Amino acid sequence: MATIKDIAKAAGVSVTTVSRALNDYSDVNEKTKARIKDIATQLNYSPNALARSLVMSKSHTIGLLVSELNRSGAKDMFTYEVMCGINDAASDQNYDLILFSTNPIKQEQKSYSQLCRERQVEGVIMQGIKTDDPYLEEVIESNIPCVLVDVELEGDNVGYVSTDNVFGAQMAIKHLINLGHENIAMVNGHNQARVSQRRFEGYERALKEAGIPMQEHYVVEGDFLEPKAETVATKLLTEHPEITAIFCASDLMALGVLRAAERVGKKVPEDLSIVGYDDIMLAQYAHPPLTTVAQDKYQIGYESSRLLTAMLQQETKKRKVILDNQLIVRGSTAPPKS
Amino acid sequence: MATIKDIAKAAGVSVTTVSRALNDYSDVNEKTKARIKDIATQLNYSPNALARSLVMSKSHTIGLLVSELNRSGAKDMFTYEVMCGINDAASDQNYDLILFSTNPIKQEQKSYSQLCRERQVEGVIMQGIKTDDPYLEEVIESNIPCVLVDVELEGDNVGYVSTDNVFGAQMAIKHLINLGHENIAMVNGHNQARVSQRRFEGYERALKEAGIPMQEHYVVEGDFLEPKAETVATKLLTEHPEITAIFCASDLMALGVLRAAERVGKKVPEDLSIVGYDDIMLAQYAHPPLTTVAQDKYQIGYESSRLLTAMLQQETKKRKVILDNQLIVRGSTAPPKS
DNA sequence: AACAAAATCCGAAACGTTTTGGAAAAAATA
DNA sequence: TATTTTTTCCAAAACGTTTCGGATTTTGTT
């Protein structure tokens, strides 16, 4: 509860001097500086960040806006791991994180910029936001620096970090081709998702590069759902028994495909190779463990924070960061039976 | 950027009146009140929470202190789900959450109370803190209200919420006994963990109630680690082939035991029943899916927030909340072969 | 010793709000 | 009409800090 005034009184100097002493300004005598610091620790002083922020109009706080921070996000660890990365990078840069969680009801009550200005955040990181979220429009209009996670949107004050989904899909397909597969199908998410479009792009490109003609009917949509994927994959495998490999736009769907294979009596990986995407926890515990494309979620978060703080300090013109991802080969892929 | 002053100027009244109008005080004319509010929305005004907190010395902020918020926590969803609950309850009560993540290095630099006072948090929720954490001592001394998650510590300003580990273990054992098991072993965590002590207590008690004598050598420690559990369980099962059921203090260890069973050639659940604890995501995807004791992590978080806000508003003398947990019966338990 | 330069300090304003203790105006009562 | 009550407003202080501009003291130079 000791304030700068108390210290000033105890030291017999002005508050100005105390402030400047504690902040290591050069225009205060080393002796008195030491004395003041002594007294400060004696009085167990700690500065009031509110007061400081108020006068400096810098809160050193960044808002972490997570849409629908809730249990449903628990299926994979995406949100959590990204948060860890954000948190680490932010605290490295001495920024504090304040958690905004929104949902449709709250969004009606309070606009994005209101939210930000009230708490005087210097910048925002948005996560889990859908492309049609009303807040997204405000972000571009607003003059508060913002970094989006996995939403491709650029502007003067807004950047994003994402992974290279085209490249990731390409790696997956190349892996299958290298194993000797030629009849490679894809269970995609749905066309509204940017990642689906990108991953399909990679699928297409890898086939083309290998000189394998793409079969339209080899590509089906599983809506990112496990049961839906099982259904469509079953159909796919019965109608096109020549298929020896399936690339899935998510691990969850890959698990569904795994079950589909079981249903149509195909052994994985002997009769059918499966590649997933995401590397969720379950992937390594599946039977057989899933070959998959992993994105470093922690790093996504970390880089988001870094990008934002760089923007805040105006030390970069960069507005987007695309991270690599990595193919993790496990037991669900093998050469096709010749 | 509009302040209360701007509104005052535009409305031709004093800042006092504006403040009182916006806060719906009764001593301002309804007409002028309406006019002021109009102008406020026109100027796109939003109050500066910093300034308000400063003068009211109420920040309406609670600190969420998560020890080692990092990827390793990703194995189960505990931390994340608890956070979701905390967040929901806090925002229900109009408290904002500010994220403190600590690690040993940071703790040396800044004491617990410094951390709190700097940011002027009204209260703190601590999660993932170990019983020997240096911050824990400060918590009791400090006068800042604090709620611990899963750490049994009570005081004037400190409470905790946890689940009934004794009861949970009891349920698990009773379930096994009801199935007809008598030779029931336990793979515990380690004795430094409070939950281990409690769960052992439940194990002991349930056996006693059923009149089954406890065998000392049936209880081994797996340190909460999957490989360690596998090792000790393998030894256990070979030395005591009469064992028909194993209760594990965590799902992760149960997975290890599952592998141990495979190694010694016992089929689960025909030859060996296994019960885990936690209900992590993997539990339902294991082969066979694990019977386990689930704790409602979300609710733990939610109740933590509730307890803290109640303490802050001094509307309760309660300092601890013990939540129920639930036995989830899946495929890893069955009657023993007679 | 006289002056300039450097070192050290401080008063006061500012940040945006709330709140206290009235004052002025309007309405009610005598 | 004179007095009291109610309504409506406001000036100023306060919260804890930083910073601007200048004042005072010390040191250095000649």
Side-chain angles (χ1 to χ4, degrees):
Chain A
M1 301 286 236
T3 79
I4 220 172
K5 280 185 195 167
D6 302 319
I7 301 177
K9 205 170 292 172
V13 296
S14 74
V15 290
T16 307
T17 308
V18 175
S19 172
R20 301 180 81 82
L22 294 178
N23 291 318
D24 270 328
Y25 277 61
S26 59
D27 69 344
V28 34
N29 189 296
E30 285 301 330
K31 265 185 182 167
T32 55
K33 192 183 285 188
R35 192 161 49 92
I36 288 173
K37 285 185 178 177
D38 260 14
I39 296 179
T41 53
Q42 269 173 42
L43 295 183
N44 196 14
Y45 168 78
S46 47
N48 184 327
L50 294 183
R52 177 183 286 160
S53 299
L54 182 59
V55 62
M56 309 221 300
S57 56
K58 286 229 168 226
S59 64
H60 248 265
T61 299
I62 83 184
L64 179 51
L65 202 155
V66 181
S67 182
E68 313 246 4
L69 177 65
N70 57 24
R71 276 170 288 188
S72 75
K75 44 175 199 294
D76 53 41
M77 295 291 305
F78 196 89
T79 310
Y80 178 74
E81 287 193 47
V82 171
M83 271 181 56
C84 292
I86 292 173
N87 181 62
D88 281 355
S91 74
D92 281 356
Q93 308 275 312
N94 269 311
Y95 279 89
D96 279 327
L97 235 47
I98 167 162
L99 213 57
F100 295 144
S101 75
T102 57
N103 54 45
I105 306 144
K106 283 197 198 161
Q107 291 198 341
E108 299 226 346
Q109 292 166 352
K110 205 168 283 185
S111 78
Y112 166 75
S113 65
Q114 271 179 324
L115 206 63
C116 296
R117 278 181 324 199
E118 269 191 23
R119 276 298 178 163
Q120 301 284 112
V121 297
E122 293 186 28
V124 176
I125 298 177
M126 279 180 124
Q127 199 191 155
I129 234 73
K130 303 208 178 61
T131 42
D132 58 349
D133 193 289
Y135 270 16
L136 220 47
E137 285 183 40
E138 276 199 83
V139 170
I140 359 180
E141 292 164 10
S142 150
N143 56 343
I144 298 157
C146 177
V147 167
L148 287 320
V149 170
D150 252 347
V151 174
E152 300 174 13
L153 200 64
E154 266 179 283
D156 218 26
N157 286 310
V158 27
Y160 70 89
V161 4
S162 184
T163 56
D164 191 339
N165 285 294
V166 177
F167 179 71
Q170 264 180 298
M171 274 196 304
I173 303 302
K174 271 184 193 166
H175 166 64
L176 291 171
I177 291 172
N178 286 341
L179 286 173
H181 293 275
E182 290 189 345
N183 298 317
I184 304 171
M186 174 170 187
V187 176
N188 209 344
H190 49 72
N191 215 32
Q192 286 81 277
R194 190 66 60 101
V195 290
S196 284
Q197 298 164 14
R198 289 269 180 276
R199 287 170 196 176
F200 174 70
E201 214 176 312
Y203 167 76
E204 218 176 359
R205 201 180 291 179
L207 287 181
K208 195 172 173 189
E209 282 178 10
I212 300 173
M214 202 194 80
Q215 317 272 6
E216 293 262 349
H217 45 275
Y218 275 13
V219 180
V220 293
E221 294 197 345
D223 290 345
F224 291 114
L225 301 171
E226 186 175 347
K228 178 78 189 292
E230 182 179 344
T231 313
V232 295
T234 308
K235 185 153 172 283
L236 190 71
L237 289 172
T238 43
E239 288 177 2
H240 304 284
E242 75 279 11
I243 291 175
T244 61
I246 299 185
F247 167 56
C248 305
S250 85
D251 280 347
L252 224 51
M253 292 195 295
L255 295 177
V257 173
L258 216 49
R259 268 211 273 278
E262 204 170 342
R263 263 171 51 173
V264 302
K266 293 207 179 216
K267 274 218 172 314
V268 178
E270 294 83 353
D271 306 323
L272 182 71
S273 286
I274 299 179
V275 181
Y277 211 109
D278 287 342
D279 193 27
I280 64 178
M281 171 105 297
L282 289 173
Q284 53 181 305
Y285 285 90
H287 292 275
L290 276 181
T291 294
T292 189
V293 180
Q295 16 188 357
D296 192 338
K297 301 150 205 141
Y298 178 88
Q299 207 199 346
I300 293 176
Y302 197 88
E303 294 298 329
S304 303
S305 247
R306 294 284 310 181
L307 177 57
L308 182 63
T309 51
M311 281 163 67
L312 290 177
Q313 276 137 34
Q314 318 202 338
E315 61 189 24
T316 181
K317 283 270 161 235
K318 193 170 54 179
R319 287 295 175 271
K320 75 172 162 180
V321 176
I322 304 294
L323 297 173
D324 279 346
N325 31 31
Q326 199 188 350
L327 181 73
I328 298 186
V329 178
R330 297 205 183 89
S332 68
T333 49
K337 275 195 277 196
S338 51
Chain B
M1 298 288 235
T3 79
I4 220 173
K5 281 185 195 167
D6 302 321
I7 302 177
K9 205 170 291 172
V13 297
S14 75
V15 290
T16 307
T17 309
V18 176
S19 172
R20 301 181 80 80
L22 294 178
N23 291 320
D24 269 327
Y25 277 62
S26 58
D27 69 344
V28 33
N29 189 294
E30 284 301 332
K31 264 185 182 168
T32 54
K33 193 183 281 187
R35 192 160 50 91
I36 288 174
K37 285 186 178 179
D38 259 14
I39 296 179
T41 53
Q42 268 173 43
L43 294 183
N44 196 17
Y45 168 80
S46 46
N48 184 329
L50 293 183
R52 175 182 289 160
S53 299
L54 183 59
V55 63
M56 310 221 300
S57 56
K58 286 227 169 232
S59 64
H60 247 263
T61 300
I62 83 183
L64 178 51
L65 203 154
V66 181
S67 182
E68 313 247 2
L69 176 66
N70 56 23
R71 276 171 287 188
S72 74
K75 44 178 200 294
D76 53 40
M77 296 289 307
F78 196 88
T79 310
Y80 179 73
E81 287 193 46
V82 172
M83 271 181 56
C84 293
I86 291 173
N87 181 62
D88 282 355
S91 75
D92 281 356
Q93 307 275 314
N94 268 314
Y95 279 90
D96 277 327
L97 234 48
I98 166 162
L99 211 59
F100 296 144
S101 77
T102 57
N103 54 47
I105 305 147
K106 282 195 201 161
Q107 291 198 340
E108 300 226 346
Q109 292 167 352
K110 205 168 283 184
S111 78
Y112 167 75
S113 65
Q114 272 180 323
L115 206 62
C116 296
R117 280 181 322 198
E118 270 192 21
R119 276 298 177 164
Q120 302 283 114
V121 298
E122 293 185 28
V124 177
I125 298 178
M126 277 179 128
Q127 197 191 154
I129 234 71
K130 304 210 177 59
T131 42
D132 58 348
D133 194 290
Y135 271 15
L136 221 47
E137 287 182 39
E138 276 198 83
V139 170
I140 0 180
E141 292 164 9
S142 151
N143 56 344
I144 300 157
C146 178
V147 167
L148 287 321
V149 170
D150 251 349
V151 174
E152 300 173 14
L153 200 64
E154 264 180 284
D156 219 27
N157 286 310
V158 24
Y160 70 89
V161 7
S162 185
T163 55
D164 192 340
N165 285 294
V166 178
F167 179 71
Q170 265 179 296
M171 275 196 305
I173 303 301
K174 272 185 192 165
H175 166 64
L176 290 171
I177 291 173
N178 287 340
L179 286 174
H181 293 274
E182 291 191 342
N183 299 316
I184 303 170
M186 173 169 187
V187 176
N188 208 342
H190 50 70
N191 215 32
Q192 286 81 278
R194 190 66 59 101
V195 289
S196 284
Q197 298 164 16
R198 288 270 180 276
R199 288 170 195 174
F200 174 70
E201 215 176 311
Y203 167 76
E204 222 176 356
R205 201 180 292 179
L207 287 182
K208 195 173 174 186
E209 281 178 11
I212 299 174
M214 202 194 83
Q215 316 272 5
E216 294 262 350
H217 44 276
Y218 275 12
V219 180
V220 293
E221 293 196 345
D223 290 346
F224 291 115
L225 301 171
E226 184 175 349
K228 179 80 189 290
E230 181 179 344
T231 313
V232 296
T234 308
K235 186 156 171 280
L236 190 71
L237 288 172
T238 43
E239 287 176 3
H240 305 283
E242 74 279 10
I243 291 174
T244 61
I246 299 185
F247 167 55
C248 305
S250 85
D251 280 347
L252 222 52
M253 292 195 295
L255 294 177
V257 173
L258 215 50
R259 267 212 274 278
E262 203 171 344
R263 263 170 51 172
V264 302
K266 293 206 179 217
K267 276 218 174 313
V268 178
E270 295 84 354
D271 306 323
L272 182 72
S273 285
I274 299 178
V275 181
Y277 210 108
D278 286 342
D279 193 27
I280 64 177
M281 172 104 295
L282 289 173
Q284 54 181 306
Y285 284 92
H287 294 275
L290 276 180
T291 294
T292 189
V293 180
Q295 15 188 359
D296 192 338
K297 301 150 205 141
Y298 178 87
Q299 207 200 345
I300 292 176
Y302 198 88
E303 293 299 330
S304 302
S305 247
R306 295 284 309 180
L307 177 58
L308 182 62
T309 52
M311 283 165 66
L312 290 177
Q313 277 137 35
Q314 318 202 341
E315 61 188 23
T316 180
K317 284 269 161 234
K318 193 171 54 176
R319 286 295 175 272
K320 76 172 162 181
V321 176
I322 304 292
L323 297 174
D324 279 347
N325 32 31
Q326 199 187 350
L327 181 73
I328 298 185
V329 178
R330 297 206 183 90
S332 68
T333 49
K337 273 195 279 198
S338 52

